[in-house]
Amino acid sequence: MTAFDNIRLADDAALEEAARILRAGGLVAFPTETVYGLGADATDDLAVAAIFEAKGRPRFNPLIVHLPTAAAAEGIVVLDNRARALARDFWPGPLTMVLQRAEGCPGSLLASAGLDSLALRVPGHPLAEALLRRTGRPLAAPSANRAGALSPTSAQHVAASLGDRVPLILDGGPCLLGLESTVVDLTGQRPALLRPGAVTREALEAALGPIAGSDSAAAIKSPGQLSSHYAPALPLRLEASAAGPREALLAFGPEVPAGAAETLNLSPSGDLTEAAANLFAHLHALDRPGLAAIAVMPIPESGLGAAINDRLRRAAAPRG
Ligand code: TXA
Ligand code: MG
């Protein structure tokens, strides 16, 4: 076995294999015009959790969901006139729009990192488009590198960073742009540029009018800048070994104390990937009026546990 035997030239057979892996909840690295993405079925919480696991991400940043066409965004997000104008002008292409999740949005809450928005992009690369069409699912895909490493612009970069953490790397040659997509947030009154990229501020302003910069208050919406960005309405009580009758219990592992008003278990078997997949959905479900708090059992700090605990600590942080 050579070091790079998970790289395959992206021919018809490899695309078919990639689509099969993705539909089964697996990971595939694929080329886009910006950088290589580490893709998973964006409607599958467990598959999305596997992305964070493979990247070794210490926290759950929200992910960009990739679509084959702009029309595929219907029913996933709320498209206003500004979004439609940008889609017409810049999709397919290196532009990501952060939009309000639609009612009944099929996208994983983990891909949104618990936010009520979702980032979408229609990549302008024929292999990415072909993969999206064949898979028939929206694909969540951050850059295909370990956390903290540089974004990969070739299949070899992906293999060097992720190794056998990804079963298949589709080789489409070097990326044309080599720089991650522009991210614009359209959830507020005024659009905000969250990440500069190949679609320039000037180009966006020509389509939309003035845009708030990343130094403005609007850009505080960019996750990671806030100590508490997804917080349930109920206070969180961490490291709980028991829960009272007016508390909801977010449990982990096989041994769950009785006595809570309501209990949801992140993973009865103590599996951290499963726990990550369930985290935001369970927090939303337990966040009910009438209760005093959500008590959270201890989660080990190893592997994805660090990311889970990071989010829990943020959700428990004093509210500003
Ligand atoms: O070019 C690209 O965008 C590549 C290729 C693979 O498409 N993807 C990429 O993904 O760079 P990633 O995960 O490395 O960067 C996603 C960026 C992050 O800065 C994240 O905070 C932001 O998009 N983002 C994603 N969802 C968001 C949301 N709901 N609200 C605000 N920002 C969001
Ligand atoms: Mg990245």
Side-chain angles (χ1 to χ4, degrees), residues 1-10 29 36 144 152 154-171:
M1 188 164 140
T2 70
F4 299 146
D5 70 352
N6 49 354
I7 296 181
R8 277 179 70 182
L9 187 71
Y36 275 71
S154 73
Q156 288 71 27
H157 291 164
V158 179
S161 189
L162 291 174
D164 59 7
R165 291 182 179 89
V166 53
L168 176 59
I169 301 168
L170 290 175
D171 189 349

Side-chain angles (χ1 to χ4, degrees), residues 41 56 176 206 214 286 303:
D41 179 351
L176 271 179
S214 48
L286 293 176

Side-chain angles (χ1 to χ4, degrees), residues 42 61-66 95-97 111 118-122 139-142 180-183 195:
N61 296 329
L63 302 177
I64 297 171
V65 171
H66 298 66
L95 177 70
T96 295
M97 288 190 242
L118 190 66
L120 289 185
R121 177 163 110 78
V122 177
L139 295 179
E180 297 89 342
S181 61
T182 303
V183 180
R195 182 172 74 183

Side-chain angles (χ1 to χ4, degrees), residues 35 55 57 142-145 149 151 180 195:
V35 299
K55 284 185 65 93
R57 259 202 189 179
S143 51
N145 52 273
S151 286
E180 297 89 342
R195 182 172 74 183

Side-chain angles (χ1 to χ4, degrees), residues 1-315:
M1 188 164 140
T2 70
F4 299 146
D5 70 352
N6 49 354
I7 296 181
R8 277 179 70 182
L9 187 71
D11 59 12
D12 214 60
L15 281 168
E16 200 49 45
E17 171 70 0
R20 194 191 59 71
I21 293 172
L22 288 165
R23 282 194 299 264
L27 302 180
V28 171
F30 63 96
T32 81
E33 78 279 34
T34 58
V35 299
Y36 275 71
L38 180 61
D41 179 351
T43 67
D44 179 340
D45 286 320
L46 210 49
V48 174
I51 291 178
F52 290 101
E53 167 105 79
K55 284 185 65 93
R57 259 202 189 179
R59 46 166 100 130
F60 297 124
N61 296 329
L63 302 177
I64 297 171
V65 171
H66 298 66
L67 302 172
T69 62
E74 302 285 347
I76 297 182
V77 291
V78 179
L79 292 162
D80 61 13
N81 288 337
R82 302 173 304 175
R84 289 181 200 283
L86 291 186
R88 202 175 45 236
D89 288 357
F90 299 107
W91 280 353
L95 177 70
T96 295
M97 288 190 242
V98 176
L99 298 162
Q100 208 65 37
R101 291 169 67 99
E103 183 97 20
C105 171
S108 160
L109 269 181
L110 184 56
S112 288
L115 300 168
D116 51 17
S117 59
L118 190 66
L120 289 185
R121 177 163 110 78
V122 177
H125 190 297
L127 288 172
E129 188 200 342
L131 180 65
L132 285 158
R133 282 187 191 283
R134 275 190 206 231
T135 308
R137 310 269 167 84
L139 295 179
S143 51
N145 52 273
R146 291 281 286 170
L150 287 178
S151 286
T153 56
S154 73
Q156 288 71 27
H157 291 164
V158 179
S161 189
L162 291 174
D164 59 7
R165 291 182 179 89
V166 53
L168 176 59
I169 301 168
L170 290 175
D171 189 349
C175 300
L176 271 179
L177 295 174
L179 186 69
E180 297 89 342
S181 61
T182 303
V183 180
V184 64
D185 181 354
L186 294 179
T187 59
Q189 287 282 348
R190 192 163 172 201
L193 185 63
L194 299 186
R195 182 172 74 183
V199 173
T200 61
R201 168 191 294 277
E202 290 71 26
L204 291 173
E205 290 188 332
L208 292 183
I211 291 178
S214 48
D215 54 345
S216 85
I220 296 232
K221 296 191 69 174
S222 186
Q225 293 184 19
L226 290 178
S227 61
S228 157
H229 90 76
Y230 171 69
L234 290 177
L236 251 63
R237 189 165 67 78
L238 303 183
E239 307 288 330
S241 53
R246 293 197 54 237
E247 287 183 319
L249 178 66
L250 186 63
F252 177 81
E255 271 152 47
V256 178
E262 187 177 348
T263 299
L264 287 176
N265 199 326
L266 289 170
S267 171
S269 67
D271 178 83
L272 288 167
T273 306
E274 182 185 28
N278 287 328
L279 179 65
F280 292 111
H282 281 10
L283 280 175
H284 275 282
L286 293 176
D287 193 19
R288 301 253 191 84
L291 294 177
I294 301 175
V296 184
M297 287 176 67
I299 314 284
E301 193 65 27
S302 58
L304 270 189
I308 295 171
N309 285 323
D310 169 79
R311 263 306 180 265
L312 288 170
R313 281 191 289 267
R314 285 158 187 270

